[in-house]
Amino acid sequence: MTTFLFDGPEAADITILLAHGAGAAMDSAAMTASAKVLAQSGFRVVRFEFGYMAARRTSNTRKPPPRADLLKTEYLAAVDALGATDKLIIGGKSMGGRVASMVGDELYASGKIAGLLCLGYPFHPPEKPEQLRTAHLADLKVPTLIVQGTRDPFGTRDQVSSYSLSKRIEILWLEDGDHDLKPRKSVSGHSAADHLKTLGEAAASWAQKITS
């Protein structure tokens, strides 16, 4: 049975379903901060965990995550278990957003979702820019917002600018942000709170655009 964490107004017009990254749970600091700011922007935010991560809570072992494509059925099951009757956007942090992007077009074509929100998309493994994870993004049909730090080791602004991405994908670049979207204030002049505020405002504006 899927366990969910909820933030934001229950009667919100738009729900966002988020999955976690490969190594941190749904209640990690980065996931919680993003969920809270999205909730403050008026969304109903729902977080869930894939089975391997949920198992870590009751086991002394720390098994590595399965390949992202093997988690697609779990993401689809979470959408079904949530049973959202309002407008739904899916996505997640890093690997969670990647898995959501793999099932996004299927759900969009069937009318189950309105969009895709990825927080720190893992375009490639760190220090392995030749191992791209972008093939399915070239023809993506679902309206997509990727929020990415400019120095994210999984895909910097300079690297991503050379990729062939669908015109349905919008990228919000957060200056000097790392994989958790956090900047160095001494370098960028921005704080983590500044970038979270920008995330919330941009997501709200984008969501209204794709659902109106």
Side-chain angles (χ1 to χ4, degrees), residues 109-166:
S110 64
K112 291 185 177 181
I113 67 169
L116 172 68
L117 175 63
C118 300
L119 307 176
Y121 188 88
F123 289 97
H124 59 74
E127 300 182 3
K128 297 179 180 178
E130 71 283 357
Q131 296 182 20
L132 290 179
R133 300 160 170 166
T134 58
H136 69 293
L137 300 181
D139 300 312
L140 205 65
K141 304 295 191 300
V142 58
T144 299
L145 177 63
I146 295 176
V147 183
Q148 195 85 355
T150 61
R151 64 182 176 98
D152 190 330
F154 290 79
T156 65
R157 178 158 51 189
D158 288 344
Q159 291 168 338
V160 176
S161 66
S162 67
Y163 301 157
S164 296
L165 302 177
S166 166

Side-chain angles (χ1 to χ4, degrees), residues 23-193:
M26 65 179 174
D27 55 356
S28 68
M31 282 286 289
T32 298
S34 295
K36 296 296 185 186
V37 78
L38 290 169
Q40 291 166 9
S41 297
F43 297 104
R44 181 185 186 226
V45 185
V46 186
R47 288 175 276 168
F48 79 98
E49 287 180 343
F50 296 113
Y52 81 90
M53 183 62 72
R56 291 182 180 181
R57 297 184 182 275
T58 57
S59 171
N60 291 325
T61 60
R62 188 178 173 86
K63 293 183 179 180
R67 293 200 325 265
D69 60 301
L70 298 179
L71 296 171
K72 293 190 295 183
T73 55
E74 287 192 51
Y75 206 115
L76 293 171
V79 171
D80 288 341
L82 179 61
T85 56
D86 50 9
K87 298 167 185 173
L88 178 63
I89 291 170
I90 65 169
K93 172 78 175 73
S94 193
M95 184 194 71
R98 183 185 176 201
V99 178
S101 73
M102 293 176 170
V103 299
D105 277 355
E106 173 186 345
L107 293 170
Y108 183 63
S110 64
K112 291 185 177 181
I113 67 169
L116 172 68
L117 175 63
C118 300
L119 307 176
Y121 188 88
F123 289 97
H124 59 74
E127 300 182 3
K128 297 179 180 178
E130 71 283 357
Q131 296 182 20
L132 290 179
R133 300 160 170 166
T134 58
H136 69 293
L137 300 181
D139 300 312
L140 205 65
K141 304 295 191 300
V142 58
T144 299
L145 177 63
I146 295 176
V147 183
Q148 195 85 355
T150 61
R151 64 182 176 98
D152 190 330
F154 290 79
T156 65
R157 178 158 51 189
D158 288 344
Q159 291 168 338
V160 176
S161 66
S162 67
Y163 301 157
S164 296
L165 302 177
S166 166
K167 295 186 183 302
R168 304 306 297 270
I169 297 175
E170 299 180 33
I171 302 180
L172 169 64
W173 287 106
L174 297 177
E175 190 61 38
D176 196 57
D178 61 12
H179 195 50
D180 287 336
L181 310 179
K182 292 181 179 179
R184 298 164 295 184
K185 191 167 186 178
S186 62
V187 174
S188 69
H190 297 288
S191 67

